[in-house]
Amino acid sequence: MKIELKNIPIKEIATGYKDKEEEGVVGYNGKLDIRPIYQREFIYKDKQRDAVIDTITKDFPLNVMYWALNKDGTFGMIDGQQRTISFCQYINGDFSFKDRFFNNLTNEEKNQILNYEIMVYWCSGTDKERLDWFKTINIAGEKLTDQELRNAVYAGPWVSDAKRFFSKTGCPAHEIGNKYLSGTAIRQEYLETAIQWINGDNIEEYMAQRQHETNANELWLHFKKVIDWIEATFPKYRKEMKGLSWGELYEEFKDKKLDPKKLEKEITILMMDDEVTSKKGIYQYVLTRKEKYLNIRTFSEGQKRSAYERQQGICPICKNKFDYDEMEGDHIVPWVDDGKTNDENCQMLCMKCNREKSKK
């Protein structure tokens, strides 16, 4: 791992500045990706942008920036993107500061800005070293997401093509899967989810293996398969379907014979059941049959205390006597058999008996 501290005048960074909007922003005579195509769009507010210019004109220190040094001598911006775009936009005449555009300044004022030196750390090393370091220094300003950091490390043709599908405003992934996905495309959360759907949590492994591939067709085709399966299995959309672990469910149940009409009938009943406090978990439950996803309503302390006093601390299964803290509330008639969470259906079991009953 090699890290070098450089002092670079603004005029050098702003040389060759070009903003191609979603296609990226470059500077430093074309050698610096100020906002690579894998990162989010500019999100500084006017007040933050003006604060950058104010800091520079007063000759106060601006926070240090971080660039990744690539093997071909080019750079990727890791931290400092929005500060850099702010002063480049000002020099480019895109906005005024204190009612004065850059071209309205005196030569002395212009030179003060152009000769202002930015402290920049250049970082080079292995992919793992750079990713670990980027995560460590990603502590100020508008933080990069984990996926944006990964994109910086594994930048290449594969990431560029993946962004075409998953990372732009109105991208194909948004068009077909927005209602099932959490987060936003421009923060790389769609891309992160798509990789998780195809390779679990081994996101970095997947990206490293494909870094130099020319397209991300494999990822896109798998993403579409998951969406098609969701819509075929659960034709009626509900807001609770957004953000579920659809990739895992697809892998586990894609080859099972499922009856969408039967599933929908059960989902409707569960949605109306007051005992089910996690409506979002209904979809996992109807596939896995695991009640933990439903978060069935539990007995209150008052209900449990009343049952304990009524039983005089005796467990009705093993017939032994226990302190209150050694017992747990239990549904006499299980929820799955229409048992309700009310006083009449509450009993206290010792922890051992309750565990044994739950296994049956």
Side-chain angles (χ1 to χ4, degrees):
M1 183 72 173
K2 185 178 180 181
I3 302 173
E4 299 178 79
L5 179 60
K6 303 287 184 178
N7 293 313
I8 306 176
I10 281 179
K11 61 184 177 184
E12 293 185 17
I13 299 174
T15 298
Y17 171 77
K18 291 182 181 179
D19 186 347
K20 300 178 182 179
E21 297 181 348
E22 285 193 343
E23 294 304 316
V25 182
V26 299
Y28 201 46
N29 207 23
K31 295 189 294 183
L32 170 66
D33 278 340
I34 298 173
R35 194 197 72 228
I37 61 175
Y38 53 75
Q39 286 190 9
R40 62 192 182 277
E41 298 170 39
F42 185 72
I43 57 176
Y44 252 13
K45 306 299 182 185
D46 289 352
K47 185 177 180 180
Q48 295 169 295
R49 183 185 63 185
D50 289 349
V52 171
I53 307 305
D54 190 42
T55 298
I56 293 171
T57 56
K58 290 178 178 177
D59 214 24
F60 291 167
L62 201 61
N63 288 344
V64 67
M65 299 183 186
Y66 301 87
W67 298 0
L69 175 57
N70 302 317
K71 293 178 182 179
D72 61 0
T74 61
F75 301 88
M77 177 74 72
I78 302 304
D79 186 69
Q81 173 199 128
Q82 291 152 75
R83 282 166 283 157
T84 301
I85 291 179
S86 292
F87 62 68
C88 285
Q89 283 183 337
Y90 182 62
I91 293 170
N92 200 47
D94 293 343
F95 68 93
S96 65
F97 172 66
K98 294 184 177 179
D99 298 323
R100 298 175 71 195
F101 285 91
F102 182 76
N103 61 4
N104 298 134
L105 302 179
T106 65
N107 287 335
E108 182 180 356
E109 290 172 323
K110 289 179 182 178
N111 288 331
Q112 187 274 327
I113 293 174
L114 294 174
N115 293 321
Y116 180 96
E117 292 187 337
I118 302 293
M119 293 177 61
V120 181
Y121 279 113
W122 289 3
C123 166
S124 59
T126 67
D127 290 342
K128 185 180 186 307
E129 287 174 336
R130 292 165 68 190
L131 183 59
D132 288 344
W133 187 65
F134 295 162
K135 288 180 178 178
T136 300
I137 59 91
N138 188 33
I139 56 176
E142 302 290 347
K143 293 184 179 181
L144 297 178
T145 64
D146 286 344
Q147 188 57 39
E148 285 173 324
L149 291 172
R150 295 186 192 105
N151 289 352
V153 171
Y154 301 109
W158 186 89
V159 165
S160 297
D161 196 56
K163 181 182 172 79
R164 179 167 63 91
F165 294 115
F166 298 101
S167 304
K168 293 185 179 181
T169 303
C171 62
H174 181 276
E175 292 298 318
I176 70 170
N178 174 54
K179 50 187 187 177
Y180 307 111
L181 301 170
S182 297
T184 62
I186 62 173
R187 294 308 305 271
Q188 307 309 309
E189 289 157 309
Y190 285 10
L191 176 56
E192 182 177 55
T193 297
I195 299 174
Q196 286 175 327
W197 282 7
I198 197 172
N199 210 50
D201 291 328
N202 301 314
I203 297 175
E204 290 153 28
E205 173 189 73
Y206 186 85
M207 295 182 69
Q209 292 173 350
R210 291 157 181 79
Q211 182 175 6
H212 302 295
E213 292 184 4
T214 57
N215 64 73
N217 290 344
E218 176 193 54
L219 184 65
W220 171 242
L221 291 174
H222 183 270
F223 180 82
K224 289 202 298 181
K225 285 181 181 178
V226 178
I227 297 298
D228 288 343
W229 176 82
I230 297 170
E231 296 185 335
T233 307
F234 304 106
K236 182 177 179 178
Y237 178 78
R238 294 180 177 85
K239 63 183 179 63
E240 287 82 6
M241 297 170 72
K242 191 177 186 70
L244 294 178
S245 54
W246 289 116
E248 293 179 16
L249 295 173
Y250 169 77
E251 289 300 325
E252 186 174 354
F253 297 99
K254 63 182 178 181
D255 298 322
K256 302 286 179 66
K257 291 184 179 180
L258 301 171
D259 185 340
K261 290 184 179 179
K262 185 177 179 181
L263 289 173
E264 173 56 30
K265 183 178 180 180
E266 184 177 11
I267 291 169
T268 300
I269 293 172
L270 291 170
M271 285 289 176
M272 296 186 294
D273 191 337
D274 291 338
E275 300 292 308
V276 177
T277 63
S278 176
K279 303 301 185 184
K280 199 174 184 70
I282 289 173
Y283 292 91
Q284 285 117 316
Y285 170 75
V286 296
L287 293 173
T288 67
R289 316 315 299 183
K290 296 178 181 178
E291 290 184 15
K292 67 178 183 178
Y293 292 114
L294 299 177
N295 196 20
I296 302 302
R297 191 158 62 91
T298 58
F299 293 106
S300 68
E301 285 299 312
Q303 289 173 316
K304 290 190 291 184
R305 173 57 74 175
S306 294
Y308 177 81
E309 296 298 333
R310 185 169 61 248
Q311 297 170 206
Q312 297 183 340
I314 297 174
C315 174
I317 295 180
C318 67
K319 308 303 181 181
N320 293 318
K321 188 170 185 177
F322 297 89
D323 291 337
Y324 176 76
D325 292 338
E326 297 175 316
M327 305 186 81
E328 297 172 330
D330 172 68
H331 290 76
I332 298 172
V333 178
W335 166 82
V336 71
D337 296 324
D338 294 327
K340 301 301 179 183
T341 310
N342 53 29
D343 293 346
E344 294 75 21
N345 198 38
C346 179
Q347 66 178 351
M348 295 295 282
L349 302 181
C350 70
M351 294 181 183
K352 181 180 179 181
C353 289
N354 195 34
R355 299 292 184 274
E356 291 298 321
K357 182 182 176 183
S358 297
K359 292 177 183 178
K360 296 179 181 179

